[in-house]
């Protein structure tokens, strides 16, 4: 008994017509008829009652039909499972992330993923949450690490909270300590301090500016418009101080003084997002699992 024979049998059973069944399975009608007859010989029973213009199932055919459908479904499932496993040996994952996450969170996770699945290409796109949401929606990304709440409500996306990260103040060791040298500073202590500020559209810019305004003052920018690496470089050069994620500060090496923010401090919530209407590819789901279990 062959899977092809069962496929032909199910096609005839569903169409009740040999010629139409042959069209469904894309085979010549004589070949289909020969395979059905071979299957009947193998089973030792007729599966169809054949009359001009009227094809019906025999009792044996009625008994075989649900079993044949199940066997074909299981074979299709097996084929897809093996294909998905093969995809973990080759393929790609398109991941979007904010620049600060590319610096702080992703290196260790991506190294572990690459060590386990060296054949998978990792395509990383940096951008603000607004841009990443737009790229997800148009299908240009499989996954994205975004900052919650999203800039615009997007019911077409599924988000899973990944972590809640503290923000800290970084400054040059050669500059005066923020907040008069206290071990932890308040946002209000940044009033009158020269800040190095990210470009417009950067999640950290919006969060910092909103916190300053909530504390009753407008921030004073020494330099503005940079990405994460540029901002850290300007701070090292003594141009001002900046508010950055703790993970970024911890990874930034020498040349920076890190001062925590006093309670309640500032935090941001990082989430992993993907389209709700399309399941991510197997390789992307595996990266998603590793990020959630980190």
């Amino acid at each position: 008994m062959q899977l092809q024979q069962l496929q032909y049998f199910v096609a005839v059973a569903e169409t009740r017509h040999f010629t139409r069944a042959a069209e469904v399975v894309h085979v010549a009608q004589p070949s289909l008829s020969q395979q059905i007859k071979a299957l009947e010989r193998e089973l030792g029973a007729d599966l169809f009652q054949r009359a001009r213009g009227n094809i019906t199932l025999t009792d044996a055919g009625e008994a075989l039909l649900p079993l044949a459908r199940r066997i074909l479904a299981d074979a299709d499932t097996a084929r897809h499972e093996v294909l998905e496993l093969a995809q973990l040996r080759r393929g790609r994952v398109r991941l979007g992330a904010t620049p600060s996450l590319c610096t702080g969170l992703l290196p260790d996770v991506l190294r572990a993923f690459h060590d386990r699945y060296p054949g998978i290409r990792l395509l990383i796109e940096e951008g603000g949450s607004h841009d990443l949401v737009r790229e997800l929606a148009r299908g240009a990304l499989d996954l994205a690490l975004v900052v919650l709440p999203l800039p615009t409500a997007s019911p077409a996306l599924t988000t899973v909270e990944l972590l809640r990260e503290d923000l800290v103040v970084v400054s040059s060791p050669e500059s005066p300590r923020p907040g008069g040298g206290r071990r932890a500073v308040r946002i209000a202590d940044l009033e009158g301090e020269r800040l190095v500020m990210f470009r417009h559209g950067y999640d950290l810019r919006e969060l910092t500016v909103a916190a300053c305004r909530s504390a009753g003052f407008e921030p004073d920018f020494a330099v503005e418009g940079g990405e994460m690496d540029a901002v850290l470089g300007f701070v090292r050069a003594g141009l001002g101080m900046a508010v950055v994620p703790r993970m970024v500060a911890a990874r930034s090496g020498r040349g920076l003084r890190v001062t925590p923010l006093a309670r309640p401090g500032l935090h941001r919530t990082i989430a992993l997002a993907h389209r709700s209407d399309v399941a991510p590819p197997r390789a992307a789901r595996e990266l998603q699992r590793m990020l959630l279990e980190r």
Side-chain angles (χ1 to χ4, degrees), residues 48-120:
F48 297 102
Q49 292 177 345
R50 298 164 175 84
R52 184 176 294 276
N54 186 25
I55 303 294
T56 59
L57 286 166
T58 63
D59 290 343
E62 292 283 2
L64 178 61
L65 183 58
L67 297 173
R69 284 173 170 157
R70 189 183 314 157
I71 291 169
L72 291 172
D74 287 345
D76 191 55
T77 299
R79 188 179 300 111
H80 282 289
E81 285 295 318
V82 171
L83 179 61
E84 288 202 331
L85 287 173
Q87 288 176 350
L88 293 178
R89 292 193 292 270
R90 60 183 181 274
R92 69 178 185 184
V93 177
R94 302 168 301 170
L95 174 67
T98 63
S100 59
L101 291 172
C102 287
T103 302
L105 172 66
L106 283 182
D108 290 341
V109 176
L110 294 185
R111 180 183 60 201
F113 182 86
H114 179 71
D115 288 346
R116 187 174 300 179
Y117 307 110
I120 302 296

Side-chain angles (χ1 to χ4, degrees), residues 141-267:
L141 296 174
D142 301 311
L143 302 169
L145 289 163
V146 297
V147 178
L148 296 181
L150 293 177
T152 56
S154 183
L157 295 183
T158 296
T159 58
V160 180
E161 186 173 321
L162 196 62
L163 61 95
R164 190 167 182 261
E165 184 180 17
D166 294 337
L167 303 183
V168 297
V169 177
V170 291
S171 56
S172 168
E174 300 175 1
S175 301
R177 290 181 175 273
R182 287 193 295 271
R183 294 181 61 183
V185 299
R186 303 165 300 160
I187 287 295
D189 294 328
L190 300 182
E191 185 174 7
E193 298 283 4
R194 301 279 281 168
L195 299 182
V196 177
M197 185 50 63
F198 301 95
R199 63 171 172 79
H200 284 283
Y202 219 85
D203 300 290
L204 286 168
R205 178 193 179 103
E206 295 165 6
L207 186 60
T208 303
V209 170
C212 291
R213 288 173 177 168
S214 180
F217 69 95
E218 284 291 323
D220 182 13
F221 300 152
V223 184
E224 62 175 315
E227 299 280 350
M228 179 60 69
D229 288 344
V231 166
L232 294 175
F234 296 151
V235 171
R236 286 191 185 94
L239 292 172
M241 57 188 65
V243 177
V244 303
R246 184 182 293 277
M247 280 190 296
V248 171
R251 278 186 165 272
S252 296
R254 302 169 63 181
L256 287 176
R257 177 198 296 127
V258 179
T259 306
L261 286 165
R263 293 183 178 179
L266 274 182
H267 316 274

Side-chain angles (χ1 to χ4, degrees), residues 2-23:
Q2 301 173 7
L3 289 175
Q4 185 182 65
Q5 292 172 336
L6 292 178
Q7 182 186 20
Y8 293 173
F9 161 71
V10 170
V12 175
E14 291 178 346
T15 61
R16 301 302 170 102
H17 197 282
F18 276 79
T19 301
R20 284 199 294 270
E23 293 172 353

